[in-house]
Amino acid sequence: MRKLSMEELQRDSVEDFKNKQKNPLVLVLDNVRSLHNVGSTFRTADAFAVEKIYLCGITGTPPNKEIHKTALGATESVEWAHVPTTLEAVQGLKQQGYAVWAVEQAEGSIELPHFQPAADGKYAFVFGNEVFGVEDEVIEAADGVLEIPQFGTKHSLNVSVTVGVVVWDVLSKLLAPTL
């Protein structure tokens, strides 16, 4: 076995990526304070051809060298917008026909392994602040809450890790017949 070369990977150019059909997922960062987490979210969004990222409240925006450090250029390929409040972003997404799910530990949450997205659905996932999580008003406005089951002593995962886990899980379920 050997690693594949960059040529063998046949990655899209930024222009090709921008023009290709995306997976029906939107990521919403609710007051995420770490610029490295923002950059990592961009990189994950690029890897899985996510439609768009909404950067809300105090969440940092490109161009920014700390975001670029972990995004590795994904800020150039992934569509994004800054919205003053997460609630405003959620309300707009719901008006556009997205099912909005907060990713949080909350009463009545659905554990991620039990979540089954509809094949023809459009989904937006809200990821919260590293200390305070998803805002209560956003949880109330969401269509549901997803929770990643955990088995250790810590009560949460890093937000950028959470983004990767959720996006991979949802896409693996949506794309299962074609994989």
Side-chain angles (χ1 to χ4, degrees):
M1 290 216 198
R2 65 176 180 79
K3 293 192 308 186
L4 296 176
S5 69
M6 292 304 279
E7 293 79 30
E8 290 172 311
L9 290 172
Q10 299 180 353
R11 298 289 188 224
D12 292 335
S13 69
V14 171
E15 194 60 36
D16 289 341
F17 180 86
K18 286 182 175 184
N19 292 321
K20 77 190 254 182
Q21 182 174 343
K22 305 297 186 297
N23 289 307
L25 305 179
V26 168
L27 309 179
V28 180
L29 298 185
D30 177 16
N31 293 295
V32 171
R33 64 185 179 165
S34 165
L35 299 175
H36 292 138
N37 285 335
V38 175
S40 182
T41 298
F42 268 95
R43 193 165 166 190
T44 298
D46 177 279
F48 295 114
V50 167
E51 283 181 15
K52 189 171 186 175
I53 300 174
Y54 286 89
L55 307 170
C56 304
I58 66 164
T59 305
T61 62
N64 182 294
K65 74 176 192 173
E66 293 301 311
I67 292 173
H68 180 72
K69 184 185 283 186
T70 49
L72 297 178
T75 57
E76 303 302 318
S77 58
V78 176
E79 185 178 345
W80 64 273
H82 180 265
V83 181
T85 71
T86 307
L87 186 58
E88 184 181 335
V90 166
Q91 291 168 338
L93 286 161
K94 289 178 85 167
Q95 288 175 352
Q96 295 173 50
Y98 286 87
V100 177
W101 288 80
V103 180
E104 185 59 83
Q105 297 166 334
E107 273 184 23
S109 65
I110 295 174
E111 288 193 347
L112 188 57
H114 302 292
F115 176 69
Q116 187 55 55
D120 60 349
K122 297 186 333 181
Y123 295 93
F125 298 99
V126 182
F127 302 90
N129 176 277
E130 294 89 341
V131 175
F132 304 110
V134 177
E135 295 174 295
D136 290 340
E137 67 182 3
V138 172
I139 291 171
E140 291 173 23
D143 296 303
V145 179
L146 292 179
E147 184 172 341
I148 299 171
Q150 295 170 50
F151 310 100
T153 62
K154 302 301 173 198
H155 63 87
S156 66
L157 295 168
N158 177 283
V159 66
S160 67
V161 171
T162 300
V163 169
V165 169
V166 170
V167 171
W168 170 248
D169 181 81
V170 171
L171 280 181
S172 67
K173 291 170 181 172
L174 287 173
L175 301 175
T178 62
L179 291 178

